[in-house]
Amino acid sequence: MKGFVFHGTGKSAWEEVPDPGIKDPTDAIVRVDAVTICGTDLHILKGDVPEVSAGTVLGHEAVGEIVETGSDVRTVRPGDRVLVSCITACGRCRFCREAAYGQCQGGGGWILGHLIDGTQAEYVRVPYADLSVHPLPGGLASRDAVLFADIFPTAYEVGVVNGAVRPGDTVAVVGAGPIGLAAILTAKLYSPERIIAVDLAESRLEAARRLGADAIAPVRDDPEQLVSDLTDGLGADVVIEAVGVPESFEMCTRMVRPGGHVANVGVHGKPATLHLEDLWIKDVTITTGLVDTSSTPTLLRMAASGRVPTAPLVTHTFSLDQMEEAYEVFAHAADTGALKIVLGEPPHDELAVPAA
């Protein structure tokens, strides 16, 4: 088969790789029908995630069909259409028993496209399939469903829930990429008074406005002052960091009100300064986290019922063999306007009918 292989910092290729096979009785093999590219994949290519070895197939989000299962798999079978979660869960360790699957100590956690071959390929082996794939509602299109492998549960759990968004809050989202936009959509479920989106790119700020941000702030226009003006000098109740660079994190800590929450979602490759000389007296809560995906079944049900819109996030589609082109488009999102890219073939029950 073919897969998108990491060959070291700045080096990658769509190339022939060995077909995956069942290694453990809890494995499943999934034929990939739709896959997407994550900002974390770009961090890997930049060398920000040194645990990823050269030769690893990247990707940790997919929708596909089960084609083979190990002898211990009980909840899915060949032919089932499933979401492949970005997080793998053994189901037995202390953290899995607490539904903290992202911290799994039994061989799970974030392993796809990180510690083992991932989903940006024609087929993928998924360990611990019973807890690591989710059967999909029949009416949910693959291009929509794949967004619930990572960005929606990440934005919701690590941003909105960890940030303790409540009705009437002022929420500032720093970074209006896919994660930030998903944070805006899921924060709206809690009826905040206002959501303020901050970004460098005008195209992403306009997307944030379309998806429900009440105010937008280009970084060059002093977003900290805008937050102060809108809150009578108090600061935002919740600030969600969705970029992953020192400057954005430090901006978030200056935007938050006394007693407020800073929820860091971004993947950081460099140290950021924690200004305790200013923060120690402000009763600020700062949270970090890797998504657990415990919310995935709930979010999928909400998506199937139309409660969480996804279509506006997908701006580009490609076939799997256009992976390298898709990466270029996503890596230059400020120029291309890319938000979320979906790769894959049309569903097998869709037939092209020639024009008469």
Side-chain angles (χ1 to χ4, degrees), residues 60 84-89 101-104 108-112 131-133 149 290-293:
H60 49 267
V84 178
S85 175
C86 66
I87 296 296
T88 303
Y101 306 126
Q103 304 302 320
C104 175
W110 173 37
I111 59 173
L112 291 172
L131 283 173
S132 305
V133 302
L290 174 65
V291 65
D292 293 315
T293 65

Side-chain angles (χ1 to χ4, degrees), residues 30-55:
V30 178
R31 186 197 62 224
V32 174
D33 291 334
V35 68
T36 185
I37 302 170
C38 179
T40 303
D41 297 321
L42 298 184
H43 280 282
I44 292 171
L45 291 177
K46 291 177 184 177
D48 290 343
V49 189
E51 301 85 14
V52 182
S53 301

Side-chain angles (χ1 to χ4, degrees), residues 139-165:
L140 192 58
S142 295
R143 61 178 277 156
D144 297 325
V146 73
L147 304 185
F148 293 87
D150 186 352
I151 67 164
F152 271 98
T154 294
Y156 177 66
E157 295 175 18
V158 186
V160 176
V161 175
N162 282 3
V165 175

Side-chain angles (χ1 to χ4, degrees), residues 272-328:
T273 301
L274 182 62
H275 288 282
L276 286 175
E277 74 277 12
D278 299 321
L279 295 171
W280 74 270
I281 201 170
K282 292 180 68 176
D283 297 340
V284 170
T285 299
I286 298 174
T287 57
T288 66
L290 174 65
V291 65
D292 293 315
T293 65
S294 57
S295 67
T296 300
T298 298
L299 291 171
L300 284 173
R301 291 195 300 272
M302 295 182 73
S305 65
R307 299 283 292 176
V308 180
T310 58
L313 288 174
V314 179
T315 55
H316 295 73
T317 57
F318 295 88
S319 62
L320 283 177
D321 60 7
Q322 293 176 298
M323 188 71 69
E324 294 179 1
E325 180 184 349
Y327 260 89
E328 283 296 309

